[in-house]
Amino acid sequence: MRRFSYLLRLAGKSAWNRRGTLGIIVFSIALSTTLLLGIEKLRTQIRESFVQSVSGTDLIVGARGGSMQLMLYAVFHLGGATNNMGWDSARKIAEKDEVAWTIPISLGDSHKGYPVVATTGAFFEHYRFRSDKRLELAEGKWIETLFDVVIGAETARKLGYSPRQKIALSHGGSGARLVEHTDKPFTVSGILASTGTPVDRSLYIGLAAMEAIHVDWRGGAPIPGLRITAEQVTRFNLEPRTITAMLVGLKKRSHVFAFQREVNEWKSEPLMGVMPGVVMDQMWSMVNTGEQALLLISALVTATGLAGLAAAILAGLGERRRELAILRSAGARPLDILILTACEGGLIVISGVICGLSALFVLVAAISPILADNYGIFVYLSPPAAGEWALLGCICLAGLAASLFPALRAYRMSLSDGLTVSI
Amino acid sequence: MGCSGGETGENPAAFAVFLKNVVFKWPGQQRPTLDIPIFSVSPGEHVFISGPSGSGKSTLLGLVAGIFSPASGTVFVNGVCLNELGSAKRDMFRGDCIGFIFQQFNLIPYLSILENVLLPCRFSPLRLERARALSGSAAAEARMLLERLDLSPSLWGRPVNRLSVGQQQRVAAARALVGRPSILIADEPTSSLDADRRKVFLRLLLGECRSTQAALLFVSHDQSLAEDFSVVAHLPELNRAGGEEAS
Ligand SMILES: Nc1ncnc2c1ncn2[C@@H]1O[C@H](COP(=O)(O)OP(=O)(O)OP(=O)(O)O)[C@@H](O)[C@H]1O
Ligand SMILES: [Mg+2]
């Protein structure tokens, strides 16, 4: 043991003595580690972030169309709905026996690039994320009056809003020339606690409020000459005629297939129900090929790095023959030489992996806000997960295997060279 | 392979080095490089070994050190038959009993002077123990040896590759001596030194060997150094194989 720790120290000093060459190898191993783990992390966390955003929802119901599209706009507020579903259908579905709860959702407006979601109190009550966490307020109150808005944690943080702030919503999702609903300002009533889901980046208003800001609109534009003030609007019927989609929770999960069939065969209008898990599986199988290709490429990069490692140690052996002969003369066994050389490889791999992990942490910290802002994908710093540990283990093992090759060479060399090295 | 002392009645245990009927052949070579009927070195004896280049001097030292094994014959060091030891045991035995000085590039570049001297103590617990017993600690013993070999403490902090060749050889001598091995093997340690330095180095080395009572096997082409040795051996005269040159 004492001898091993001495050999380890010796290997460290020897490697440090040749840090110029070996530094490049450490760099390339660090790069491979960052790449391999980064892709793995991104892959798993993107999935996690998607899956966690819809826990508890059994079925997403909307107008018939692409199931993936429905999922993307209903849950992640990405893209837009081409068709709406009728409010009467939504109410009929909600009254069905097997239905435990429904969350109607109306999209279309935005505020400074953040989507505005019109919904009911059911959303705050029944929406679940990360298996069974429910929404909580960090500050303020839930929606109480017509023009109240509850905003997500990130929306509040990015825009610097606090309760009682007055804001104006814009018509439409994005684009340069958005018309603002300045005549009917909203008041921030509460700010949600952070969830790590698209909820953080949204604003929530009541369905009635969505109707209210559009009473004097037709076909996506204000009706010329008609102005209905915020006070007058309460006299109108603010029940929606259509909504974008509806999240449905069933009393019994096992009813989901029958219920889905019922929705898909809806008489009064063409509807569609999709199971979040099934759609996500479809999405994954689409991106799977790409992911595999990426993983393969980064595995090849890693292999290149490790081949470089073996080459560098091997090339170093030539100039180190002398050194190894001296060690032998001092009583080192050929086995010690093997251990010494393998330790050197191990040290290089481990420092490469540590550098790579640190780089990954810095990288994740740097890009996670960008991902969250632009794609609603939440990637966070976390200790390596099981899959990542496995990859790390693979890199280290492969590194050890790669350095065993020059180590065996050194072993044989020190056996045949003896003590006199003729160069 | 047997380990008997031989019919002639010599007792191998009485010698520091004792070779009998040793035949050594390099792999791939037709004729043996060495075929030595008998060669012995008494404890504390200083032997000067000469011979033309390629005659097998370094090979002989490798046999004594247990780096190579003879095809036949027996090699005793300190009364221990090397033929009987496994290779790991031989390595350990070498670390315990033998100090080495090579022709040049004796030092490990990334270790300090002191660490270079202490190297044998890292691999041989026996030499570590002996150094401690003699000077209190291995480092103290190393410092003492360095000073006795005329290396002033002001040099100790230097990287080893900033030392002159003569200074490097003296550090190597200190390393060979640390922990008092009973045999010193020096393979042309002076050939990269000028004539004056050679004399000075040899005087220091012999003085230290005398005070530690170590046997010295000293290989050199420089016959002028032979006068300081008690025994002078010419390898071609010991060697029936006659080496490369003879063929
Ligand atoms: N590693 C080796 N493999 C094969 N043959 C070798 C090896 N080392 C030495 N020899 C051969 O053994 C013979 C003796 O070599 P050795 O190095 O012992 O000579 P030497 O007397 O030390 O010479 P020099 O004075 O030049 O150092 C030479 O003929 C050489 O070719
Ligand atoms: Mg030689």
Side-chain angles (χ1 to χ4, degrees), chain A residues 3 14 25 47 84 137 151 162 182 187 253 297 332 382 394:
Chain A
R3 188 177 257 214
S14 169
I25 301 300
R47 289 185 181 203
N84 283 350
L137 280 175
I151 63 180
S162 50
T182 40
T187 308
R253 268 251 145 106
I297 289 169
S382 60
C394 283

Side-chain angles (χ1 to χ4, degrees), chain A residues 13 64 66 71 109 119 180 214 224 254 270 302 317 348 356 408 417:
Chain A
K13 283 181 177 171
R64 200 167 292 166
M71 168 106 178
D109 283 6
T119 182
E180 292 207 334
H214 294 110
S254 52
T302 310
L317 283 185
I348 294 169
L408 281 170
D417 273 358

Side-chain angles (χ1 to χ4, degrees), chain B residues 1 20-24 35 69-75 83:
Chain B
M1 198 170 311
K20 188 154 177 76
N21 295 330
V22 164
V23 177
F24 180 85
D35 180 358
S69 296
S72 65
T74 49
V75 179
N83 306 44

Side-chain angles (χ1 to χ4, degrees), chain A residues 356-394:
Chain A
L357 273 178
S358 324
L360 182 65
F361 268 64
V362 172
L363 210 66
V364 168
I367 65 162
S368 64
I370 300 172
L371 279 180
D373 280 353
N374 297 317
Y375 305 102
I377 291 165
F378 293 83
V379 176
Y380 46 92
L381 289 176
S382 60
E388 294 165 57
W389 277 121
L391 280 177
L392 281 177
C394 283

Side-chain angles (χ1 to χ4, degrees), chain A residues 420, chain B residues 57-58 187-188 219:
Chain A
T420 43
Chain B
K57 304 183 295 295
S58 300
D187 196 352
E188 308 185 42
V219 165

Side-chain angles (χ1 to χ4, degrees), chain A residues 321 416-418 420 422, chain B residues 24-29 32-34 50-62 68 103 187-188 219-221 235 243-245:
Chain A
R321 279 178 104 137
S416 67
D417 273 358
T420 43
S422 42
Chain B
F24 180 85
K25 204 170 79 176
W26 280 104
Q29 288 193 352
T33 303
L34 293 176
S50 66
S53 187
S55 58
K57 304 183 295 295
S58 300
T59 309
L60 173 66
L61 297 184
F68 312 127
Q103 186 172 359
D187 196 352
E188 308 185 42
V219 165
S220 178
H221 292 286
L235 185 58
E244 196 84 322
E245 239 69 349

Side-chain angles (χ1 to χ4, degrees), chain B residues 1-6 11-22 62-94 97-98 183:
Chain B
M1 198 170 311
C3 274
S4 61
N11 176 16
F15 295 96
V17 175
F18 183 86
L19 271 67
K20 188 154 177 76
N21 295 330
V22 164
L63 280 170
V64 172
I67 294 277
F68 312 127
S69 296
S72 65
T74 49
V75 179
F76 286 87
V77 175
N78 282 348
V80 174
C81 178
L82 294 189
N83 306 44
E84 277 180 344
L85 299 181
S87 73
K89 281 260 175 56
R90 279 208 305 272
D91 289 324
M92 208 160 85
F93 186 75
R94 171 170 61 254
C97 303
I98 302 176
I183 299 165

